[in-house]
Amino acid sequence: MSGSSLIIDRNVEMHTRDGVILRADVIRPNTDERLPVLLQRTPYGKLAATNSFAVMAAERGYVVVNQDTRGRWDSEGDGTPFIHEKRDGFDAVQWAAALPWSNGDVGMFGGSYVGYTQMAAASQQPPALRTIIPAVTFCDAYRLIYPGGAFALGLVTSWGLGSQAAMALMQMAAGEAKDRKMAELIDQVNGIARRAGARGDTFYHLPLQTMPLIGKGGVSTFLSDLLTHPSSSAQHWQSLRVPFESIQIPTFQIGGWYDIFAGDTLLDYAGIGAAGKAKQKVLMGPWLHGPLSGLVGDVDFGYQADDATLMSAEWQLRWFDRWLKGKRNGIDEEPPIRLFVMGDNVWRDEETWPLARARPTECFLHSGGAANTLDGDGVLSFEGPGDEPGDKTLDTFVYDPGNPVPTLGGGLCCSNTAMAAGAYDQREIESRPDVLVYTSDLLQEDLEVTGPVVAKLWAATSGRDTDFTAKLVDVGPCGYARNVADGVIRARYRLSTAEARFVERDKAYEYSIELGPTSNVFKAGHRIRIEVSSSNFPKIARNPNTGADIGMTSALVPAVQRVLHDAEHPSCVILPIVPR
């Protein structure tokens, strides 16, 4: 059907079960033949969704339906994120299957929030839905908003202003009130910038609950609403979560090592796989939240990592051809996992995640008592702690929430001026006295780390509550310190994010910090490094150390932090090492 003309039908209406009208644009070949449907449900505008992939798919014999989600753009109703996507997704799939151009079979595609709309719809098991391709997305919205129990301020603020507040203003009647609010929005979005000497003052607003435009009483209460559900046990999060066993159709996920949802992509893949109800495939590159480029931050992983050579659109169309057209093209017989191994900078196929041959290996923190800064005496070693003197078994730093450690790269969303995602030299961060730095000896041979990375940290704080952060770094021969993965744990949620349990001041506890997954070869002549601190701002909201509700408080109190690494408190990072 390639080369045939296309027809676009604008604002095709659908009625949800509760009577709300959602509108879609339909791109279809100029033919009387009934064809499979590819459905994309987006909050970002169906017009923008009419992109090159949509046109390519239509030319390949699909009816492409781009629908505005509830309350967005041309669709009516309440646009509160997440809460309508399960029911609306079911209804949209069945409606799309009944369109006059449809043969009754539906697939879904798209990334980020659009990926969640797929997971949500698939969890309801609409009969017409045959397959999905969710990219850079998640099944559990709590992990997105509260990583490690901490609050994802950078994501919530940038997406809340740029998406939620902006849409609310678009829907206001023209007049002076709208003009004033638009000027305020421009001021707040400009205020998240952290370039050219700007520090991103919007993020420093306290209390968080009153953040302009997206806080309590704002044109959208996106941020303040999320602050009211700090525990994963809240019914709000339980209702949004997509149970792994509910995904029972072929699923092809796409993710990136420097994507904000890297951990979710592979956690969801493993969870859906363990449930055993769905055929799966996953493609994991070195990418950011977008685009699929070999240039990631200021590190170039090569043209082989670029979508210009990978051609992910062809991968997706092959997947759809297999499950919607019945073509025996072999994509379902290939290894289910293709991942990009950084350091070697090559693609590799795998059969399982985590890799069956990976060996979780403890790498221990040591020092002479002064691991502060890059110039300190922190050491990372595969040898466990011995009988060091007492003053050699702990490191101390002061975490001042008034002067937090700044975010520099990593998996981030959703403003490059606020937080540039990707791989960057961390030596600027490592020069701070509130960052503990532990570095291995020069590696004599290549060492591959592929899998989920976890830091086990024994630490004490003078605060009623606090955060601890950890970052895995690959240090090159010239000293360039490339961030590989990072994570955070909020002390009150150290046992479980389901229930807050405050710490006793100055008592040592073990903290498990998920740094997320990676595939990285630390080359011979490189070093492995771990950074430990208590802030990663503005990616993570500052912990005030008081135990107060982070949304309501303006009081910030410094805390004295101690990291222990003696025989009874063996702080370490667990690396999934793959034999070479």
Side-chain angles (χ1 to χ4, degrees):
M1 193 166 293
S2 179
S4 64
S5 61
L6 302 179
I7 296 172
I8 300 179
D9 300 280
R10 300 289 188 189
N11 288 318
V12 181
E13 293 187 354
M14 165 198 145
H15 292 259
T16 65
R17 68 187 71 180
D18 57 346
V20 172
I21 297 175
L22 308 184
R23 295 182 175 88
D25 290 346
V26 180
I27 308 139
R28 56 189 175 88
N30 186 9
T31 177
D32 293 330
E33 181 184 356
R34 290 176 177 265
L35 302 169
V37 174
L38 300 185
L39 170 65
Q40 182 173 208
R41 305 192 61 253
T42 176
Y44 303 118
K46 56 187 172 56
L47 186 61
T50 307
N51 54 23
S52 60
F53 179 78
V55 172
M56 183 185 302
E59 289 180 338
R60 293 272 283 267
Y62 290 95
V63 175
V64 180
V65 177
N66 292 322
Q67 183 184 70
D68 288 333
T69 54
R70 184 182 293 232
R72 305 290 295 186
W73 303 91
D74 289 323
S75 288
E76 299 174 0
D78 168 27
T80 302
F82 305 122
I83 64 173
H84 302 288
E85 305 307 352
K86 289 183 177 180
R87 287 183 299 174
D88 285 357
F90 180 100
D91 292 351
V93 167
Q94 295 306 108
W95 165 80
L99 287 170
W101 318 285
S102 171
N103 70 358
D105 293 329
V106 179
M108 297 182 75
F109 69 101
S112 196
Y113 189 100
V114 185
Y116 175 75
T117 65
Q118 297 177 63
M119 293 292 199
S123 74
Q124 305 304 293
Q125 298 168 19
L129 188 59
R130 304 286 182 247
T131 187
I132 57 175
I133 304 183
V136 292
T137 195
F138 53 91
C139 284
D140 187 348
Y142 179 82
R143 286 174 52 88
L144 155 69
I145 304 299
Y146 285 95
F151 187 63
L153 179 67
L155 167 66
V156 173
T157 301
S158 58
W159 197 77
L161 289 171
S163 180
Q164 294 305 112
M167 176 58 67
L169 292 182
M170 288 176 60
Q171 295 171 337
M172 286 180 64
E176 291 184 6
K178 181 174 183 176
D179 292 343
R180 286 196 302 271
K181 289 296 183 182
M182 183 58 71
E184 186 177 8
L185 176 65
I186 291 170
D187 183 60
Q188 291 300 312
V189 172
N190 284 340
I192 68 177
R194 297 171 65 228
R195 291 178 173 172
R199 68 170 194 162
D201 284 338
T202 295
F203 295 117
Y204 285 86
H205 178 92
L206 292 175
L208 292 178
Q209 192 74 259
T210 63
M211 182 79 74
L213 298 173
I214 54 175
K216 191 173 182 179
V219 295
S220 165
T221 56
F222 179 64
L223 180 142
S224 56
D225 290 347
L226 294 176
L227 285 168
T228 64
H229 308 293
S231 299
S232 61
S233 57
Q235 178 57 33
H236 175 76
W237 302 116
Q238 294 302 311
S239 68
L240 302 181
R241 187 175 62 86
V242 173
F244 296 140
E245 65 273 13
S246 70
I247 305 299
Q248 300 185 8
I249 56 175
T251 300
F252 178 10
Q253 292 197 66
I254 300 173
W257 299 126
Y258 287 95
D259 174 38
I260 192 171
F261 306 133
D264 296 275
T265 298
L266 290 169
L267 181 70
D268 296 349
Y269 175 85
I272 294 169
K277 302 288 182 68
K279 178 76 174 180
Q280 287 196 97
K281 193 174 189 66
V282 68
L283 176 66
M284 202 75 183
W287 308 308
L288 312 173
H289 195 57
L292 308 187
S293 168
L295 182 61
V296 182
D298 64 9
V299 174
D300 188 351
F301 289 100
Y303 195 46
Q304 64 273 23
D306 199 277
D307 200 34
T309 59
L310 181 72
M311 295 188 290
S312 63
E314 285 295 331
W315 283 64
Q316 294 178 72
L317 289 170
R318 286 181 64 215
W319 184 262
F320 284 135
D321 285 348
R322 172 65 185 89
W323 300 110
L324 293 174
K325 294 186 176 182
K327 292 185 177 180
R328 297 289 179 175
N329 54 22
I331 193 167
D332 57 319
E333 299 171 359
E334 298 169 356
I337 302 167
R338 172 160 287 193
L339 54 83
F340 189 87
V341 183
M342 298 181 292
D344 281 352
N345 295 343
V346 296
W347 291 99
R348 192 172 71 205
D349 293 331
E350 295 288 349
E351 295 290 340
T352 63
W353 184 270
L355 275 58
R357 66 186 184 282
R359 297 291 179 261
T361 305
E362 295 175 326
C363 200
F364 296 93
L365 278 56
H366 302 266
S367 79
N372 313 71
T373 82
L374 178 62
D375 299 319
D377 61 7
V379 172
L380 195 64
S381 170
F382 292 109
E383 294 185 9
D387 296 325
E388 294 91 346
D391 60 350
K392 308 292 187 184
T393 59
L394 62 87
D395 294 293
T396 302
F397 67 94
V398 175
Y399 159 49
D400 180 1
N403 180 27
V405 177
T407 299
L408 181 58
L412 304 170
C413 182
C414 299
S415 169
N416 198 48
T417 59
M419 302 173 298
Y424 293 93
D425 190 349
Q426 300 297 307
R427 283 177 289 184
E428 175 185 349
I429 301 300
E430 295 163 357
S431 68
R432 293 176 56 111
D434 53 356
V435 177
L436 304 179
V437 179
Y438 302 89
T439 308
S440 74
D441 291 337
L442 282 175
L443 297 174
Q444 300 304 306
E445 57 186 25
D446 292 356
L447 185 146
E448 180 181 336
V449 173
T450 297
V453 180
V454 178
K456 297 286 188 179
L457 198 69
W458 282 93
T461 179
S462 65
R464 178 80 169 110
D465 185 43
T466 197
D467 291 348
F468 287 101
T469 65
K471 186 185 298 177
L472 176 65
V473 179
D474 185 340
V475 184
C478 65
Y480 185 93
R482 171 172 63 89
N483 54 302
V484 175
D486 62 77
V488 62
I489 188 74
R490 186 141 289 185
R492 70 179 77 177
Y493 292 116
R494 68 197 179 279
L495 299 177
S496 169
T497 56
E499 181 183 1
R501 296 185 182 181
F502 291 99
V503 299
E504 292 183 30
R505 290 183 173 89
D506 299 318
K507 179 179 177 179
Y509 297 90
E510 185 180 35
Y511 296 91
S512 182
I513 307 175
E514 294 181 10
L515 277 64
T518 192
S519 182
N520 188 78
V521 175
F522 294 81
K523 305 296 288 183
H526 286 224
R527 302 174 190 265
I528 307 170
R529 178 173 291 163
I530 292 292
E531 298 173 14
V532 174
S533 192
S534 287
S535 47
N536 184 357
F537 181 83
K539 177 180 180 178
I540 302 299
R542 296 169 290 172
N543 194 314
N545 296 324
T546 62
D549 183 329
I550 65 163
M552 300 301 294
T553 188
S554 297
L556 304 175
V557 177
V560 177
Q561 318 287 59
R562 292 183 296 142
V563 173
L564 291 72
H565 42 76
D566 55 54
E568 293 184 7
H569 307 93
S571 293
C572 66
V573 60
I574 302 174
L575 302 175
I577 294 178
V578 177
R580 303 281 285 178

